[in-house]
């Protein structure tokens, strides 16, 4: 890679960051893994820590659903999949909060809520990648996707 190509890439970075279509997706990507990591941090410090192994087993299995995202895109637009996934993630994350202080709730309901949360995460991440690729020109697609990935990992680090 030459010095001039690096300079061109750096000069395109503000344009990629401030594009209105991608900016919303970058913002969402920051919070997707942040919420996932933060949820497990909170669960470890709570009475629910005895169920962490079951929740992780559900997570491992459920994350495999991301492999079916391309089949879903044939029926529903990736943008709609993303919107639905983010809305359901927010609802299921709020429902997790009901279990933090109330030991009377049935555990099978927590496991179902967690399944929904992880399922939505499994569809949100590839949906964001697809939306970034669709909304980027061919020249900027690689850099836009790399920027998305960096922001996703920043969210995980903050979580």
């Amino acid at each position: 890679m030459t010095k001039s190509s690096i300079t061109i890439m750096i000069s395109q970075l503000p344009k990629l960051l401030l594009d209105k279509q991608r900016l919303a997706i970058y913002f969402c990507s920051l919070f997707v893994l942040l919420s996932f990591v933060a949820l497990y941090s909170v669960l470890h410090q709570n009475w629910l820590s005895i169920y962490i192994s079951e929740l992780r087993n559900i997570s491992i299995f459920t994350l495999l659903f991301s492999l079916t995202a391309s089949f879903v895109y044939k029926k529903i637009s990736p943008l709609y999949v993303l919107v639905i996934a983010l809305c359901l993630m927010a609802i299921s994350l709020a429902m997790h909060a009901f279990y933090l202080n109330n030991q009377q709730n049935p555990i099978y309901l927590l496991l179902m809520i967690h399944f929904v949360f992880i399922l939505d995460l499994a569809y949100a991440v590839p949906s964001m990648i697809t939306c970034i690729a669709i909304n980027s020109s061919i020249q900027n697609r690689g850099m836009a996707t790399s920027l998305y990935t960096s922001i996703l990992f920043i969210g995980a680090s903050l979580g």
Side-chain angles (χ1 to χ4, degrees):
M1 197 175 264
T2 64
K3 187 174 182 177
S4 63
S5 63
I6 293 173
T7 307
I8 291 170
M9 286 190 330
I10 291 173
S11 68
Q12 292 174 349
L13 195 59
K15 179 184 167 191
L16 288 173
L17 265 174
L18 299 176
D19 181 80
K20 290 180 183 179
Q21 292 177 333
R22 285 187 297 265
L23 186 62
I25 297 171
Y26 290 148
F27 186 72
C28 292
S29 71
L30 181 70
F31 288 99
V32 165
L33 281 188
L34 186 146
S35 63
F36 176 69
V37 174
L39 174 65
Y40 274 96
S41 297
V42 169
L43 291 175
H44 272 290
Q45 300 171 0
N46 201 291
W47 72 273
L48 291 170
S49 63
I50 59 175
Y51 297 106
I52 290 291
S53 62
E54 288 88 354
L55 295 173
R56 284 191 177 156
N57 288 339
I58 288 172
S59 298
I60 291 168
F61 168 74
T62 309
L63 284 173
L64 294 175
F65 278 90
S66 65
L67 299 172
T68 65
S70 64
F71 300 112
V72 174
Y73 300 155
K74 291 178 183 174
K75 302 287 183 190
I76 306 172
S77 164
L79 184 60
Y80 289 134
V81 173
L82 177 60
V83 169
I84 292 167
L86 292 175
C87 289
L88 289 174
M89 272 184 78
I91 291 168
S92 60
L93 190 61
M95 292 176 78
H96 274 87
F98 291 115
Y99 279 88
L100 297 179
N101 295 322
N102 188 354
Q103 298 179 8
Q104 304 301 322
N105 291 329
I107 276 308
Y108 70 88
L109 191 57
L110 172 68
L111 298 176
M112 288 176 24
I113 292 167
H114 197 69
F115 175 82
V116 170
F117 179 75
I118 302 301
L119 182 67
D120 295 323
L121 175 79
Y123 282 117
V125 172
S127 296
M128 285 188 274
I129 293 171
T130 305
C131 289
I132 290 289
I134 290 171
N135 292 325
S136 300
S137 66
I138 292 175
Q139 297 85 4
N140 294 333
R141 193 168 289 165
M143 190 156 180
T145 306
S146 297
L147 186 59
Y148 156 77
T149 306
S150 299
I151 294 171
L152 189 70
F153 289 139
I154 289 169
S157 299
L158 291 175

